[in-house]
Structures are given as C-alpha cells and as structure tokens.
C-alpha cells in the first residue's frame, strides 16, 4: 500500500459505473466469504457501511469472528487495518496518537494512533471510559483528529467497526445515545449455524485462510465506488418515505430516529442500491437498510419493546408511495 | 317554583346547567330558566324536530283551513308550544307524559260531545274501533263531519309533548312522536307526499344530527354525504312509491305516463285530487240502455280542500229504496252492463232503487249516490231506477235562497285560505251578467268559464288553491278545473253547490243504447235549489272536449287497442248529428237531446237570450257521444292533447325531485366510490398515449396494481411494488409483471425511462387487462 494511495485526495476519485461498483462489491464479498463462513448478510452490511461512509457497531458475544471479519474485508480491498482493544485504562492518546519529542531532530514528532488506518476495529468499546470513547467517536464524526492543536486528517476511506460486549454489563461504560447515533448501523453477528461452524473448523484446522487472502480491489476502487454511491438517485418519493418512517418512530417511541438517522438511512439505501446494481434507490433498499440503521437510535416506550419492533411497525404502517 | 322542582333538578342535572340549585324565588330564576331552555332549543337536531313538527301541524292547519278555525288553531298551537316550553322547566318527564295522555283523553271526549246527538248514538266500542281502522287505511280526517273540532282538540297534544321533549334535549323522542303523528296522517291520506316527505326528512335530519353531534363537527364533515344520501333517498323514494293508502292519486313515476281523467275522477274513493296533465282511455267501460240520455253519475263531493275534494260522512247500506228528490220528477230506467272491472255504480241522478247482482254490495253515500262496497266485475249488469227532478227555468229562478240549514252548512264550505279575489271576481261576473237569482248566477259563471278558458288535458300540476289558480293564473284546463272553480265561485256567493264525477252520455249506438268509454269520464257541478234539489251544470266547453275524446278514440282504433268498441259503436252513431254546434243544439232540442236538465229548459231556452249558449252546453254534453264519431265541428282544438307527451317545462315538484335525486346520487356515488370505480374502469381499460414516458410507465404499473388488486389482493401498507409483484407471482401473476414493476421503479424512483420501455410496460398491462376482461366485467 503506497503512501500516495492512502493520502489520495477524495476529489481524485471518479465514480465508477454502477455495474462496475456492484461487481466490485460482489468480488470483495466473495473474497471475504472464503474466510468467513456464513454471515454473508453481515459482510454485505459491512460493505454497505463502508460504501456509505458510515461506521458500524457490532454487539455480540466474544469469539464469533468479529475481528476476522473486519480484517478480511480490509485485506480484500487492500486497506490498512488496525485494531484497538478498549480497556478501562485506555487513554484518548492511545487511540488518536501522540506527539513524541524526537531527541535526534529536537522536534516533536507525531506518532499516529491506531485510528490512522482505513479500517479500525474498536474492540469492546464499552470497556473504555467515556473520555476515550469520545475520542474515537469524534474521529468517526469529523474524519480528523486534533492532537495538541494540530488537526490531522484521517485516512480515506475510513471506517470504524466497534464492538460492544453485552456479556458483562457491570464492568462497562454504556455508550450514550448521542454517541450510538453516530454509528450508521448496528449489527449482531450471532453464532454461526452448525453447518457453517463445521465448515469453519475445517478451514481453520490448518493454516488460517486469512494469511493467504489476496486483495481483490484497491482503496482507490473503493473510493470510486463510494463516489458512485454518492451519485445514486434518491428520488423525492424515497426521501418522503424515509421522512415518514422517521416521523413514525418519533411518534411511537420515547425517543425516535434523529435527522442524522434519516440521513444515514438514505445513504445506506444508496449503497444498497449500488450493491444491487441500481443507480437509484427503491423502497426495498430503504426497507432493507432501515432494519439495521434505525433500531439502535430508538428508545422504545416500554421495556418489552425493542427498537427493531418499532422499526418493523413503521415499515408495516407507512405506505409506500 | 314548587317543591316538585327538586325532582326535576335531580332529573335534569345531567342534561346541563338548567337545574337551579336549592329553592330559588320564581322571579329572575324563571327568566334564566326560560333563556336556558331557549338555548337548549338552539341545537342542530332541533331543526329536524321542527321540520317534522311542521309536517304534522301543516295537516292540522290544512284541516282547519278547509273546515274553519285555522286562526284559532294557530293561536292555540302557539300557546301550547309556550306551555310545553314552560313545562320543560317545571314538570318531570313522567308527569308530562301523564299530562299528555290526560289531554288526549280530554280531547277525544270533547270531540265526542261535539258530534251531533243523532250521530253520537253510533259511537260504540266496535264502531270506534272500526273508525280507527278506517282512518288508518286511508279514510281522510276531512271525512269526519266535525273535522274542525277534531283538529282543534287534538292538535295541542302532540305539539305540547314535542316541544316539551325538544326543550329537554330529548330530540329522538320528540321527533319520534312528531313523526308518529305525521305517520298517522300519512295513513289517513291527509298528508300528501310532500308532508310525508317533510316529516320523514325531519326525522332523518334529527336522528342524523343527534348521531353525528356525538362525533362533533368532524363527524358531521365526515358523514354529511351519508346523511345527504339518506335524505335524498327518502325524498325520491317517497315520491316514487305511494304504498300508503289514500295517496293513490299521486303519480307513481313523475313524468311518466299521465294518469287518466278516469282514474283521477271515478275510482269511487272518498276524495278527488286535482292532478296536472292527464290522458284519456279509449276503452269501453260499460254500455247503458236507458229510456233517456243522461250523465251517468258516479259520486259527488261536498268538502273542498283547496287541492281536491272529499266526501264527508258515512255511507249506509242500501236497504231497498232511497228517498226521491223533493219536487216533481220523471222516472229514468237504466240497464248497465259492465265491460270492465269497475269500482263504482254509475247511475243517473237521482237513483232511488237498484236491482241486479250488485245490489247486495250497494251503499248509499251521505250525498245520496250509490257506491259499491267492492268492485263490480266485468259483464256484471244491473238496473237502476232514477227519479230526475223536473223543473223549468222559471221554477229555478223562483226557487229563492231558503236553503235547509244542513245543506247550507255542508255545501257552502270553502277553505279559509281561499283568496278574496275569487269572491270578488265572481261578484263581478254576476254583476256583469245582471244575474239576480242563484240560477242566473250559476248560468253566468258557467258561461264565464266556458268563454274565458281553453280546454286542455296537458296542464301543469296545480299548486295551492285549484280554483284560484285556474281562475287567475291558468288559461286552460279540463273538467276537474272547470267544475272545481265553478263550485268555489258559487260557494263564495253562498250558493250551495257540489262537485260531481261520472261519465257523460257516451256514444249513442241505438235508440236507447249508449256505449261509455273511459274517456267519457267527466266532472261537473250540481247546484242546490230549494224544493227542486240538485241541478246539473257543466262549465266545461263540450266541443273541445269531444274533439280530444274523438282523437283519442281514432288513435286507439288505428293502433288496434282492444276493447275500444262495443255494441256496434264502430259503425258510427245511431242518429246523424248536425255538423255544427248551432245545429247540434237544434237537433238536441228536436230530439230532446238532454232531458236531464235542458230538456225542460230547451223550449223556454229561446227566451233566455244570451243564456242560450250556456244552456246549450248540456246539449253538447248530451250529444257528446254522437259528436265524437263525427270528429266534432270545432276541428282540432286540443285534440292532440289526448296523449300527454310530457312536453314543456318540468313542474316545480319534478324539479325539486330531480335536484334531490341528483344530490343524493352524487353523494351516494361519492360515498360508495361509484364515481371512482367508474373512472377507474375507464382508466383501467384505456390508457391514452402521448404522455411523458415516465408518466406512461407509472400509469401502466398503477393499472397493473389495480388489476392485480382486483384479482388477487391489494398492495399492503408498507409493501413495496417489488415485493408486491413478487408475492403475486407466487399466486400466478405473469412473470412479465416484474418488468412492469421495474420500469415503474425506474420511472418513479429512478432517472426515468424512455418511450420504448414505457410502451413495453403499457403493452404488457394491456395484454393483462384483455386477459382479465371477465374480471374487469365484474368490477362494475
């Protein structure tokens, strides 16, 4: 991976034709599937998130292959991958990087933190104190970090895949709603089914396949595909539909979907359209994406309800025009 | 305020703020209470109650208007309404009901004692029960001898309770009672379609508004069309269906076939209504063998309602013979043979005995005529002996005005609402003719009507007082108008007269044989002369009428209608009548043309001077039948009116009906989505070309969706077009539908489609529509 690639200006990217972008996604997806058994939906969701310039929150039990999944995707598109294990004593500088005084040059030299990568896996983000969490979240939102007054741009593409561990809630700092809102999607991988797990065990018995995984695309391709996504048509009926869905959640939950959530849904739907090889969003895209974009932004009225329930209600109640 | 108010307070507190607390003085609080009650009256459903109340009060008013006491009734109703309003704040509901029932009993008792002693003997339990049944089966209240007393006694009862209940917000109960009262009059036939309709509409409005007010203004907005449909349906249905007895005179379908003169006149009911346009039936009704020609009389009517005629009093069974008229008489022996089922017993005035099969069912009306209890059958025959009064003009002139009290009271009645100008015009007519006796006055009026009005069967539906309308606003009419007007004019001068229906002599086919057709049905006038009895006058111009009748016969013969001729009538008349009227009159004289009245007048007729024309009229009556075959001398006038072709402007009621029907249909179509469905159908089967490709593609998909919605199911809320089509393909929808859906997606959500794609989508949908035409056929 050349330095110029990493720092390439976004403006240099030229939108791929939709079919090429779709084919690219398919290629990456197939490549990742060589390593990750099952979870093809999750692979697609992650790719959609990447294409839509979003970030992903994975809530799961440990050991279901979150890291492997993120790494596989990063490797398939020839991206730089970093992993940060969040712990209670992790400091913001451990994430963003720090200025170190170089004795030789008598200068402060910036040592980039793990956030300076294309794909950053923030493992068990809810174990770190809020201050550290917010350092990462700020980087997610701004696409840049400020260390000692110097603002530095992050890589492009830049995608954070954060995981949350809900196994030991007593020893965690739960993410505030405002910060959860910054993740485009929240996914739950879940355990692979028995067959998939058997296949997985067979594959990993010898050398782990990730070692032999070859990139099938470049970050440049990825940027071009992202440009394609940005150009996807989201027509007025679609925008109205998204607005209606968001309004529905606001009327039927204690806390509904924020405008940021609506924006995220449109973007995700655009990416989904590209994945399906379409240059325009159809309501089906919106419906598919709403199930992962909306629920974590909703605080239902009753404890027996989940955000997904409210989302499903919205999808069933808002007419498609 | 009495102690009883406490009960009221507890009772009314739920109704609102009307209940004053504790014991308050009668002064200011009563005023507050009154204003509170008035406020309670000012609610939307009250309008409906008011409409229904107006319906039944109008009947009471009409009754008193006809027989006298209208002003008193109005004042009485106003006072009672005030009492009801006051009582609403004072009486408990149970008490009010008791008061009403007691009032009802008192009113009936009062009516009972107002009936003359002689008739009171007839009041037995069974008799009263029969009367009630009779009333409920179309016996007009106006037939009661003391209809005025009846109305004045009973009108306050429903008025009181309706006002009381309305003031207490019991709108549904109030309107129920008002509607029941109106319904009673519908059964008696006193409430015409208009009144019945008003009552029903008021009821519907009340119930509708009471129901809707629960939902507030929004409910009203959402449901106004339902209410409109109901009300319009009531208006239209009530106008079209006249299942209630006594209203058979109303046209079954307005604007359709006109009723015949005959059915409007000679159905032997106790009432006659004056209709608009009517037609003539050329069919033979009966044949008569009589030693002298006469008018074959069916019934007479004494009470004028302004819109028609009612015969008051009860008919008595025929017991072998009837009294002869007071003066000199000549005997007429007539043998009738029925050629159709017939609900009357025609007989020359004045019948004294009847023999033959119908004698067992014969009844004698209070006016002295015969009427059958049940209809006579075809081919039934009977013989009637009549004693016709014999008189001369001189005798009639000398008869004076010393009328018996009963005759004067019964036969000079006019509705109070009869305009004064009728009387004024009559006085002028009489003065101009220099008539000093009732006889001369009658002749003058007869002549006046004959000379100033044209004969026509095609006239607008009358409204208001027939006589007044005919006299001042119409230029043409037929016998009913002429006779009604003449009776009214005579009565306005205190001369007893009555309205008579029956048949003219008919076509003479043998020395003593006459064929009488439906179109010979007629209405004329009888005037009472002391010591002579009832004398016939006919104000209808006979020549024009004959023309109309002859035209109808000729047309019927040409079109091959059955039963137009009988007893050789097709061979023409027995005697050859002169072609002109003057000669007709002469011939009438020579042959004793109309001995009924003018036979006696004929010889002195020469001395009558200008009255000859008037007197000549009966000749024409007598010869009417003969004239018919010859086509009459007048030629053409009004002949074409025999069949009403419904030309001209629609009448006011037709217009109202039409508007109501239109509103109802529009609201109904909107409510049921009929307009939408009709539009949908056209929209579905026909897609015009030339739109933007994008619109074309979208419409193609909408059609597909509509079609599939009919055939399978509609697209669910939240279901995308793609999901919908995919789901239906599992149920058999053609795979081509997917392409239509995709074209739609591109057109609707995407960047648009080109014409080829749009055309392909349209093609696919057109094909689907064609395949599904049986399905499409079911849509509507």
């Amino acid at each position: 991976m050349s330095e110029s690639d990493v720092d390439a200006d976004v403006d240099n990217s030229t939108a791929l034709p939709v079919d090429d972008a779709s084919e690219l996604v398919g290629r990456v997806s197939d490549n990742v599937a060589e390593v990750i058994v099952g979870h093809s939906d999750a692979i697609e969701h992650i790719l959609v998130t990447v294409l839509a310039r979003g970030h992903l929150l994975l809530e799961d039990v440990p050991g279901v292959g979150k890291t492997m999944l993120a790494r596989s995707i990063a490797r398939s598109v020839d991206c730089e991958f970093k992993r940060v294990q969040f712990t209670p004593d992790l400091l913001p500088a451990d994430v963003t990087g720090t200025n170190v005084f170089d004795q030789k040059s008598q200068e402060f030299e910036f040592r980039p933190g793990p956030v300076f990568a294309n794909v950053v896996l923030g493992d068990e983000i809810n174990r770190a104190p809020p201050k550290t969490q917010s350092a990462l979240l700020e980087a997610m939102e701004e696409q840049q970090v400020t260390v000692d007054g110097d603002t530095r741009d992050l890589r492009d593409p830049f995608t954070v895949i954060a995981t949350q561990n809900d196994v030991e809630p007593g020893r965690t700092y739960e993410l505030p709603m405002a910060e959860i809102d910054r993740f485009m999607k929240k996914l739950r991988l879940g355990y692979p089914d028995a067959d998939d797990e058997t296949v997985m065990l067979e594959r990993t018995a010898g050398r782990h396949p990730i070692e032999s995984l070859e990139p099938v695309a470049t970050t440049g391709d990825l940027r071009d595909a992202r440009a394609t996504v940005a150009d996807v048509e989201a027509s007025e009926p679609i925008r109205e539909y998204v607005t209606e869905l968001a309004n529905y959640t606001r009327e039927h939950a204690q806390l509904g979907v924020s405008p940021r959530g609506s924006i995220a849904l449109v973007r995700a739907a655009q990416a989904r359209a590209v994945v399906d090889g379409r240059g325009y969003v159809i309501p089906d895209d919106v419906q598919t994406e709403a199930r992962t974009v909306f629920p974590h932004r909703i605080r239902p009225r009753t404890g027996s309800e989940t955000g997904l329930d409210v989302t499903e209600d919205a999808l069933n109640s808002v007419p498609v025009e | 305020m009495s102690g009883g108010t406490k009960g009221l307070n507890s009772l009314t507190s739920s109704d609102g703020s009307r209940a004053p607390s504790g014991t308050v003085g009668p002064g200011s609080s009563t005023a507050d209470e009154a204003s509170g009650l008035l406020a309670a009256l000012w609610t939307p459903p009250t309008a409906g109650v008011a409409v229904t109340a107006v319906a039944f009060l109008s009947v009471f008013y009409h009754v008193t208007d006809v027989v006298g006491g209208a002003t008193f009734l109005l004042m009485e109703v106003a006072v009672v309404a005030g009492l009801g309003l006051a009582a609403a704040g004072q009486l408990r509901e149970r008490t009010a009901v008791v008061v009403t029932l007691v009032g009802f009993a008192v009113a009936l008792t009062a009516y009972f004692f107002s009936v003359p002693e002689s008739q009171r003997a007839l009041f037995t339990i069974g008799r009263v029960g029969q009367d009630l049944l009779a009333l409920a089966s179309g016996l007009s209240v106006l037939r009661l001898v003391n209809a005025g007393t009846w109305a004045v006694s009973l009108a306050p009862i429903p008025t009181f309770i309706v006002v009381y209940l309305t003031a207490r917000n019991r709108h549904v109960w109030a309107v129920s009672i008002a509607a029941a009262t109106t319904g009673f009059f519908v059964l008696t036939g006193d409430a015409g379609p208009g009144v019945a309709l008003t009552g029903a509409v008021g009821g519907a409005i009340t119930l509708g508004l009471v129901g809707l007010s629960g939902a507030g203004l929004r409910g009203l907005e959402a449901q106004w069309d339902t209410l409109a449909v109901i009300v319009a349906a009531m208006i239209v249905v009530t106008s079209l269906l006249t299942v209630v007895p006594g209203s058979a005179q109303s046209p079954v379908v307005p604007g359709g076939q006109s009723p015949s003169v005959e059915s409007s006149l000679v159905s032997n009911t106790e009432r006659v209504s004056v209709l608009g346009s009517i037609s003539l039936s050329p069919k033979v009704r009966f044949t008569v063998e009589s030693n002298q020609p006469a008018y074959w009389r069916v019934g007479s009517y004494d009470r004028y309602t302004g819109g028609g005629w009612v015969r008051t009093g009860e008919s008595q069974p025929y017991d072998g013979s009837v009294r002869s008229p007071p003066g000199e008489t000549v005997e007429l022996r007539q043998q009738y043979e029925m050629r159709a089922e017939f609900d009357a017993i025609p007989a020359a005035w004045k019948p004294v005995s009847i023999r033959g099969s119908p004698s067992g069912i014969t009844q004698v009306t209070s006016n002295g005529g015969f009427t059958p209890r049940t209809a006579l059958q075809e081919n039934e025959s009977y013989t009637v002996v009549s004693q016709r009064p014999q008189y001369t003009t001189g005798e009639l002139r000398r008869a004076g005005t010393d009328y018996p009290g009963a005759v004067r009271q019964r036969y000079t009645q006019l509705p109070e609402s009869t305009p004064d100008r009728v009387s004024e015009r009559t006085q002028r007519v009489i003065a101009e003719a220099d008539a000093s006796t009732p006889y001369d006055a009658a002749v003058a009026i007869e002549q006046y009507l004959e000379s100033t009005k044209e004969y026509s069967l095609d006239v607008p539906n009358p409204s208001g007082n027939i006589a007044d309308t005919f006299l001042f606003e119409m230029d043409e009419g037929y016998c009913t108008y002429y006779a009604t007007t003449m009776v009214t004019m005579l009565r306005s001068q205190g001369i007893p007269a009555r309205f008579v229906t029956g048949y003219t002599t008919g076509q003479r086919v043998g020395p003593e044989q006459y064929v009488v057709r439906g179109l010979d049905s007629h209405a004329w006038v009888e005037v009472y002369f002391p010591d002579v009895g009832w004398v016939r006058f006919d104000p209808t111009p006979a020549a024009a009428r004959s023309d109309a009748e002859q035209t109808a016969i000729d047309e019927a013969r040409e079109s091959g209608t059955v039963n137009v001729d009988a007893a050789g009538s097709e061979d023409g008349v027995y005697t050859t009548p002169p072609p002109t009227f003057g000669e007709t009159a002469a011939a009438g004289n020579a042959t004793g043309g109309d001995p009924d009245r003018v036979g006696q007048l004929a010889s002195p007729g020469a001395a009558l001077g200008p009255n000859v024309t008037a007197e000549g009229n009966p000749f024409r009556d007598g010869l009417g039948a003969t004239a018919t075959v010859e086509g009459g001398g007048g030629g053409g006038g009004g002949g074409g009116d025999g069949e009403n072709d419904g030309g001209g402007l629609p009448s006011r009621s037709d217009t109202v009906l039409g508007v109501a029907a239109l509103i109802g249909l529009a609201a109904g179509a909107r409510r049921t989505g009929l307009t939408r469905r009709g539009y949908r159908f056209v929209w579905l089967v026909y897609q015009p070309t030339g739109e933007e490709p994008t619109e074309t593609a979208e419409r193609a998909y909408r059609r597909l969706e509509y079609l599939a919605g009919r055939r399978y199911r509609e697209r669910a809320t939240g279901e995308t077009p793609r999901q919908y089509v995919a789901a239906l393909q599992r149920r058999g929808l053609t795979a081509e539908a997917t392409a239509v859906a995709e074209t739609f997606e591109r057109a609707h959500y995407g960047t648009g489609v080109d014409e080829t794609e749009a055309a392909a989508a349209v093609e696919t949908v057109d094909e689907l529509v064609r395949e599904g035409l049986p399905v499409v056929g079911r849509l509507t």
Side-chain angles (χ1 to χ4, degrees):
Chain A
M1 187 184 342
S2 68
E3 196 64 21
S4 65
D5 257 359
V6 172
D7 291 331
D9 195 348
V10 178
D11 293 340
N12 285 351
S13 61
T14 48
L16 288 173
V18 173
D19 289 344
D20 292 357
S22 175
E23 192 265 337
L24 171 75
V25 172
R27 213 161 61 217
V28 173
S29 180
D30 290 347
N31 201 46
V32 173
E34 286 179 13
V35 179
I36 307 297
V37 184
H39 296 316
S40 60
D41 287 357
I43 295 168
E44 231 167 48
H45 277 299
I46 294 170
L47 287 172
V48 163
T49 311
V50 172
L51 289 176
R53 299 159 199 269
H55 307 279
L56 185 74
L57 182 61
L58 283 172
E59 186 171 73
D60 233 322
V61 290
V64 289
K66 298 182 291 266
T67 310
M68 197 57 65
L69 182 58
R71 271 183 67 187
S72 308
I73 287 171
R75 190 164 178 81
S76 294
V77 292
D78 198 13
C79 277
E80 199 180 342
F81 174 79
K82 292 257 174 65
R83 178 175 175 276
V84 191
Q85 176 65 51
F86 282 65
T87 54
D89 57 355
L90 193 75
L91 297 173
D94 296 335
V95 175
T96 58
T98 181
N99 282 313
V100 179
F101 188 73
D102 189 334
Q103 297 285 356
K104 272 191 222 162
S105 60
Q106 292 290 304
E107 279 180 345
F108 278 99
E109 186 193 339
F110 180 67
R111 287 245 177 100
V115 80
F116 286 87
N118 293 113
V119 177
V120 178
L121 179 68
D123 225 353
E124 294 181 288
I125 188 172
N126 54 343
R127 283 198 187 275
K131 195 176 178 183
T132 313
Q133 287 175 1
S134 68
L136 179 67
L137 294 166
E138 190 199 338
M140 282 162 51
E141 189 69 13
E142 311 288 336
Q143 290 270 332
Q144 60 189 21
V145 289
T146 307
V147 179
D148 297 338
D150 289 335
T151 299
R152 292 162 200 277
D153 284 336
L154 296 177
R155 301 277 189 271
D156 179 51
F158 170 68
T159 296
V160 173
I161 300 172
T163 70
Q164 254 196 127
N165 190 342
D166 55 0
V167 182
E168 302 152 300
R171 295 158 61 188
T172 55
Y173 301 93
E174 202 191 337
L175 285 173
M177 211 56 168
E179 296 189 345
I180 284 189
D181 200 22
R182 297 182 188 188
F183 289 98
M184 176 174 274
K185 291 178 176 237
K186 181 170 150 182
L187 282 184
R188 185 179 274 275
L189 287 181
Y191 294 109
D193 62 31
D195 291 347
D196 286 345
E197 194 162 355
T198 311
V199 174
M200 181 196 77
L201 289 176
E202 180 207 332
R203 285 193 193 173
T204 52
R207 212 158 63 98
H208 196 283
I210 186 112
E211 306 299 334
S212 56
L213 196 66
E214 291 299 324
V216 291
T218 63
T219 47
D221 294 339
L222 195 57
R223 280 198 295 274
D224 291 349
R226 287 171 79 155
T228 308
V229 167
D231 286 347
V232 162
E233 166 90 7
S235 61
E236 187 171 346
I238 292 296
R239 300 196 298 271
E240 280 171 2
Y241 181 47
V242 170
T243 311
E244 291 298 314
L245 288 173
N247 273 334
Y248 182 93
T249 64
R250 288 166 204 163
E251 282 162 16
H252 292 84
Q254 191 186 342
L255 181 67
V257 172
S258 62
R260 183 175 11 213
S262 304
I263 296 169
L265 180 54
V266 172
R267 281 196 187 168
Q270 284 175 307
R272 173 64 63 175
V274 168
V275 169
D276 281 358
R278 243 181 299 103
Y280 51 91
V281 179
I282 61 171
D284 304 77
D285 300 327
V286 175
Q287 294 198 346
T288 309
E289 292 308 313
R291 293 189 171 90
T292 49
V293 174
F294 270 8
H296 62 285
R297 303 167 200 265
I298 297 170
R299 185 177 293 153
R301 284 189 180 140
T302 60
S304 58
E305 246 183 337
T306 64
L308 185 62
D309 293 337
V310 178
T311 308
E312 293 288 355
D313 286 352
L315 292 177
N316 287 328
S317 309
V318 176
V320 179
E321 297 295 343
Chain B
M1 202 173 298
S2 68
T5 325
K6 272 192 173 170
L8 171 69
N9 288 350
S10 59
L11 198 74
T12 56
S13 51
S14 60
D15 280 346
S17 57
R18 286 206 303 287
S21 56
T23 51
V24 191
S28 60
S29 82
T30 312
D32 291 349
E33 211 169 74
S35 62
L37 285 170
L38 284 175
L41 280 178
W42 196 244
T43 56
T46 307
V49 178
V51 168
T52 315
V54 163
F56 76 79
L57 285 175
S58 74
V59 178
F60 278 119
Y61 178 79
H62 179 62
V63 170
T64 52
D65 177 55
V66 167
V67 301
T71 320
F72 178 77
L73 181 90
L74 287 183
M75 293 191 319
E76 180 191 53
V77 164
V79 168
V80 170
L83 280 177
L85 203 55
Q90 302 287 338
L91 293 183
R92 300 169 58 182
E93 281 169 18
R94 203 178 303 166
T95 319
V97 168
V98 170
V99 165
T100 309
L101 290 177
V102 168
F104 188 55
V106 168
L108 285 183
T109 315
Y111 172 66
F112 175 75
F113 281 107
S114 79
V115 173
E117 195 97 27
S118 55
Q119 296 207 13
R120 214 184 297 163
L122 297 172
F123 276 84
T124 62
I125 299 281
R127 179 86 194 180
V128 169
Q130 272 182 1
D131 278 0
L132 278 177
L133 276 178
L135 275 178
S137 59
L139 183 71
S140 169
V141 169
L142 280 168
R143 290 204 57 222
L144 297 170
V145 176
N146 272 354
T149 316
W150 187 91
V152 167
S153 314
L154 283 174
I157 310 304
T159 310
F160 171 81
I161 192 73
V162 166
V163 171
Y164 173 86
L165 289 170
T166 308
R168 292 183 72 107
N169 268 327
R170 304 276 194 227
H171 293 110
V172 175
W173 279 105
V175 87
S176 302
I177 290 171
T181 314
T182 312
F184 171 76
F185 286 126
V186 169
L187 287 178
T188 64
D190 287 297
V195 171
L197 195 55
T198 312
V201 166
I205 291 175
T206 310
L207 298 182
L209 290 178
V210 164
L212 292 183
S213 61
L217 203 60
R218 280 180 63 187
L220 202 60
E221 277 170 15
Q223 296 295 328
W224 71 266
D225 46 3
T226 312
L227 198 58
V229 170
I230 293 170
V231 170
M234 289 167 71
I235 292 175
V236 174
V237 169
T238 326
S239 315
L240 296 186
L241 303 179
T242 50
V243 290
V244 288
S247 59
Q249 72 271 19
S250 37
V252 170
V253 177
Q257 181 63 45
S258 306
S260 69
V261 185
E262 194 180 17
S263 66
S264 77
L265 287 181
V266 200
S267 53
N268 185 38
T269 49
E270 284 77 15
R271 52 193 310 168
V272 170
S273 291
V274 181
L275 308 170
S277 298
I278 54 179
S279 60
L280 294 171
S281 163
K283 299 200 175 177
V284 173
R285 295 303 177 205
F286 55 89
T287 59
V288 194
E289 225 180 297
S290 170
N291 53 347
Q292 287 191 39
Y295 273 24
W296 321 117
R297 198 176 173 283
V298 164
S300 65
Y301 299 86
D302 55 328
R303 186 167 278 172
Y304 178 50
T305 67
W309 290 91
V310 173
R311 179 160 61 231
T312 64
E314 298 292 327
S315 295
Q316 305 295 330
Y318 169 73
D319 58 358
S321 70
V322 184
R323 222 158 27 92
S324 291
E328 227 179 293
T329 59
V330 64
E331 190 176 277
L332 239 77
R333 187 170 290 273
Q334 315 127 57
Q335 182 159 8
Y336 295 85
E337 193 172 330
M338 295 297 138
R339 293 302 170 94
E341 193 179 309
F342 211 69
D343 193 20
I345 300 179
W349 184 255
K350 177 188 196 260
V352 291
S353 70
I354 178 169
R355 281 201 320 276
S357 52
S359 63
I361 55 166
T362 301
Q363 291 191 304
V364 181
T365 68
S366 56
N367 290 351
F370 283 159
T371 180
R373 240 192 337 264
T374 57
L376 304 187
Q377 298 305 307
E378 192 177 342
N379 295 329
E380 216 167 336
S381 63
Y382 59 93
T383 306
V384 169
V385 175
S386 303
Q387 295 291 342
R388 194 174 49 207
Q390 284 286 97
Y391 45 79
T392 62
T393 354
E395 276 170 19
L396 296 182
R397 286 210 174 92
R398 288 190 298 274
T401 56
D402 187 18
Y403 305 112
V407 169
R408 182 191 294 275
Q409 193 193 349
R410 190 168 172 191
Y411 295 107
T412 60
Q413 165 270 340
L414 279 181
E416 288 181 2
S417 59
T418 309
D420 289 337
R421 59 180 181 172
V422 174
S423 172
E424 286 159 10
R425 172 66 60 90
T426 310
Q427 279 167 6
R428 224 183 66 208
V429 167
I430 292 172
E432 279 171 7
D434 206 13
S436 54
T437 65
Y439 171 75
D440 290 329
V443 169
I445 292 168
E446 186 184 42
Q447 196 177 5
Y448 171 77
L449 289 176
E450 280 183 338
S451 58
T452 56
K453 303 292 177 191
E454 295 291 321
Y455 184 80
S456 169
L457 289 172
D458 188 14
V459 290
N461 256 328
S463 59
N465 192 307
I466 306 292
D468 180 61
T469 311
F470 186 62
L471 200 51
F472 292 100
E473 284 155 34
M474 295 167 70
D475 295 323
E476 46 187 25
Y478 50 87
C479 54
T480 316
Y481 291 84
Y482 283 97
T484 302
T485 308
M486 179 163 173
V487 174
T488 306
M489 292 171 83
L490 285 169
R491 286 186 176 185
S492 74
Q493 303 307 311
I495 302 168
R498 66 189 184 189
F499 178 85
V500 186
T501 63
Y503 291 82
T504 55
T505 319
Q507 183 184 354
R508 188 172 184 181
V509 293
E512 295 191 339
Q513 193 152 20
Y514 304 88
V515 171
V516 181
R517 297 186 173 82
L519 47 73
D520 289 317
S521 58
H522 193 38
W524 61 92
V525 178
E526 283 179 352
V527 183
Y528 188 85
F529 292 95
D531 301 325
V532 175
W534 293 99
V535 173
R536 191 184 82 209
F537 286 78
D538 188 347
T540 313
R545 186 169 64 78
S546 302
D547 290 344
E549 293 171 4
Q550 184 57 39
T551 310
I553 294 177
D554 290 344
E555 280 175 1
R557 280 187 180 141
E558 275 170 28
S559 64
T561 311
V562 296
N563 204 11
V564 175
D565 289 303
S569 64
E570 65 274 19
D571 299 332
V573 288
Y574 170 68
T575 55
T576 309
T580 64
F581 165 65
E583 287 167 88
T584 307
N589 275 342
T591 57
D594 182 16
D596 195 15
R597 169 162 65 94
V598 188
Q600 291 74 40
L601 299 173
S603 13
L608 291 177
N611 281 349
V612 165
T613 349
E615 295 306 317
N617 169 41
F619 290 111
R620 282 177 288 154
D621 289 341
L623 294 171
T626 51
T628 56
V629 175
E630 297 305 292
D641 295 336
E643 270 178 34
N644 168 40
D645 53 7
L649 291 172
S651 71
R652 198 171 50 189
S653 64
D654 282 356
T655 311
V656 169
L657 194 63
V659 169
L662 275 182
I663 293 175
L665 283 178
R670 182 178 177 275
R671 192 76 204 159
T672 58
L674 202 63
T675 42
R676 225 182 105 251
R677 287 232 301 265
Y679 169 74
R680 273 285 185 191
F681 178 75
V682 175
W683 174 89
L684 177 66
V685 295
Y686 172 68
Q687 178 164 13
T689 51
E691 289 174 318
E692 289 289 306
T694 306
E695 285 168 30
T696 310
E698 286 183 21
R699 180 160 167 185
Y701 170 74
R702 301 284 180 206
R703 288 167 66 209
L704 170 76
E705 193 175 298
Y706 182 73
L707 188 68
R710 287 286 170 179
R711 200 185 294 179
Y712 305 103
R713 63 170 174 84
E714 290 186 8
R715 184 155 66 91
T717 316
E719 192 175 25
T720 66
R722 181 172 285 216
Q723 289 161 357
Y724 178 59
V725 169
L728 291 191
Q729 272 168 4
R730 289 195 287 277
R731 291 171 58 178
L733 186 67
T734 168
E736 289 164 353
T738 312
V740 178
E742 272 172 14
T743 311
F744 165 75
E745 280 175 350
R746 231 179 1 265
H748 191 58
Y749 303 115
T751 45
V753 291
D754 60 32
E755 280 174 19
T756 324
E757 290 169 312
V762 172
E763 179 67 22
T764 307
V765 177
D766 280 350
E767 184 58 36
L768 279 174
V769 168
R770 274 195 292 277
E771 278 172 20
L773 263 182
V775 178
V776 175
R778 284 206 308 270
L779 303 185
T780 51

